[in-house]
Amino acid sequence: MNHLYQGLTGLQNLGNTCYMNAVLQCLCSMSPLVEYFLSGKYVTALCKENCESVTAFGYLMSDMWLGEFDCVSPEVFRLVLGERYPAFTKRTQQDAQEFLICVLNELHEALKKSSSRRCQGSTTGARESRVTVSETSIITQLFEGQLSYDITCLECETTTDKPEIFTVLSLLIPSESACSLQDCLRCFFQQDTLTWNNQIHCSWCGTKQDAAVKANITKAPKIIIFHLKRFDCQGNYKKKLLTDICYPLSNLDLSPYSYPFFHRNAKYSLCAVVNHFGFLDGGHYTAFCKHSVTKSWYSFDDSQITAIPNFSVQTAAAYLLFYTCQAFSAPTKSR
């Protein structure tokens, strides 16, 4: 079957590589990322190290958007990435979230540019200034956000903030039966108390103290990725949570988890999903992606592509959720 639109290209399964195919389909549905690679901008940004995997990714992106075939092989990209991450060359099932993080990290490392800037940190009653070196790339521009952990000593009530960069937010699932994405977010952002072995060293008290800690989003990314922690592994104990998690297709509001003055780009729309069917030691990954041209949803199951209605996007198999704060337009290739 010849698909009428670009960007609807299946990926050959190379032997338990459905985890790879599902993640690649999601990344190849992100218009700003697609446009960056199709335009050739990545070539001028390339560092000398790690450039092979980025080049292979660029060629794969081009095959998926500009090629003439209904299905292409990601073999070259897998081999090149496998030189840095040997687990991905094995014909065994891998974790899609771990693969996603490795791909984003690999692309960032090869495309990053460094710059210095003065950064303000704060403690209650005092501000300190320090110079930090920031590294930016198309990956940080699209996927990087920042959390701030407000840590309050429960003895002297001094509050310090600890910033933390993220590209994927891993969310605990608070129920085994059914819950919503908002329930998972509330659980992640609720105030927690650090006691016993988790006590902090308070610089004001000079000793270890109990503390209250609460996270806020201080910089929301253009595309935010949620990892639903379905796999519970503690020693030899392994379990997959089959919780049916209700997640919105549009109008996801992140403002309750942001600083009070932060409201820009607070509403997000779902643009892609990685699904995991089955159990820990096996199972199968697929992807749902919203096409930037047709605005319709498609299911990507290795080489098979099927148009699906909006209501089919909600499943109990969802494992990774991609949300965007900007509507995607069709990617264009600059000449």
Side-chain angles (χ1 to χ4, degrees):
M1 167 184 172
N2 283 315
H3 291 291
L4 296 173
Y5 300 101
Q6 296 175 324
L8 291 175
T9 302
L11 289 171
Q12 183 183 337
N13 191 313
L14 306 171
N16 285 319
T17 55
C18 55
Y19 70 93
M20 180 180 299
N21 292 347
V23 168
L24 290 174
Q25 289 289 5
C26 290
L27 291 177
C28 289
S29 71
M30 307 289 148
S31 281
L33 187 65
V34 175
E35 196 161 299
Y36 179 82
F37 277 91
L38 295 189
S39 68
K41 288 179 184 175
Y42 75 96
V43 177
T44 55
L46 271 177
C47 303
K48 288 182 180 175
E49 299 89 24
N50 313 338
C51 63
E52 294 90 351
S53 54
V54 175
T55 303
F57 184 82
Y59 281 127
L60 180 61
M61 187 82 80
S62 183
D63 286 343
M64 292 173 73
W65 274 90
L66 305 174
E68 300 174 2
F69 300 102
D70 288 345
C71 180
V72 296
S73 171
E75 175 72 8
V76 174
F77 178 68
R78 184 179 78 135
L79 287 174
V80 174
L81 190 71
E83 291 176 10
R84 303 257 297 162
Y85 304 97
F88 301 133
T89 59
K90 298 174 184 173
R91 292 182 181 273
T92 54
Q93 187 71 274
Q94 302 292 325
D95 189 318
Q97 182 247 353
E98 292 175 3
F99 176 73
L100 171 65
I101 289 173
C102 288
V103 172
L104 293 179
N105 184 61
E106 189 75 359
L107 296 178
H108 168 68
E109 287 297 318
L111 297 167
K112 67 186 179 185
K113 284 184 169 51
S114 299
S115 61
S116 298
R117 63 190 175 97
R118 192 161 291 280
C119 180
Q120 298 286 339
S122 73
T123 303
T124 308
R127 294 197 70 82
E128 57 179 17
S129 179
R130 59 189 183 279
V131 174
T132 60
V133 176
S134 65
E135 297 175 335
T136 59
S137 68
I138 184 66
I139 301 304
T140 62
Q141 289 165 23
L142 294 178
F143 300 101
E144 186 177 278
Q146 183 171 296
L147 299 174
S148 176
Y149 287 92
D150 291 337
I151 304 167
T152 304
C153 172
L154 295 181
E155 179 64 28
C156 69
E157 297 187 349
T158 300
T159 298
T160 56
D161 68 78
K162 178 188 171 191
E164 184 179 286
I165 298 296
F166 71 89
T167 47
V168 177
L169 272 187
S170 291
L171 304 178
L172 286 171
I173 300 171
S175 168
E176 290 200 16
S177 54
C179 67
S180 68
L181 177 59
Q182 289 288 9
D183 292 331
C184 298
L185 287 167
R186 276 191 288 271
C187 181
F188 182 91
F189 287 103
Q190 71 185 359
Q191 183 170 294
D192 199 7
T193 304
L194 304 177
T195 59
W196 298 97
N197 293 334
N198 295 319
Q199 283 184 323
I200 61 151
H201 183 274
C202 177
S203 55
W204 289 82
C205 296
T207 56
K208 284 194 168 185
Q209 298 289 351
D210 290 355
V213 60
K214 189 177 188 308
N216 290 286
I217 299 173
T218 49
K219 175 185 171 255
K222 291 177 181 173
I223 300 168
I224 191 164
I225 307 170
F226 298 116
H227 163 226
L228 304 174
K229 296 179 76 169
R230 292 195 179 275
F231 302 134
D232 184 10
C233 302
Q234 297 173 10
N236 292 327
Y237 172 79
K238 294 182 178 180
K239 176 182 173 185
K240 180 186 175 185
L241 289 172
L242 302 174
T243 308
D244 195 352
I245 301 169
C246 181
Y247 44 91
L249 268 60
S250 60
N251 291 318
L252 174 67
D253 187 5
L254 294 182
S255 59
Y257 317 111
S258 309
Y259 272 143
F261 52 80
F262 173 80
H263 292 291
R264 189 174 63 85
N265 295 342
K267 294 287 176 72
Y268 283 75
S269 296
L270 189 68
C271 54
V273 182
V274 170
N275 303 298
H276 181 268
F277 298 93
F279 294 93
L280 269 74
D281 298 326
H284 183 61
Y285 286 99
T286 68
F288 296 155
C289 302
K290 189 173 184 180
H291 195 264
S292 56
V293 178
T294 66
K295 308 301 181 190
S296 298
W297 284 91
Y298 294 85
S299 169
F300 295 84
D301 185 350
D302 292 329
S303 60
Q304 300 297 312
I305 302 172
T306 312
I308 58 172
N310 286 8
F311 65 80
S312 294
V313 178
Q314 173 79 56
T315 79
Y319 182 53
L320 298 172
L321 302 173
F322 295 71
Y323 280 87
T324 176
C325 63
Q326 297 169 339
F328 291 154
S329 55
T332 56
K333 182 181 181 183
S334 305
R335 296 288 178 187

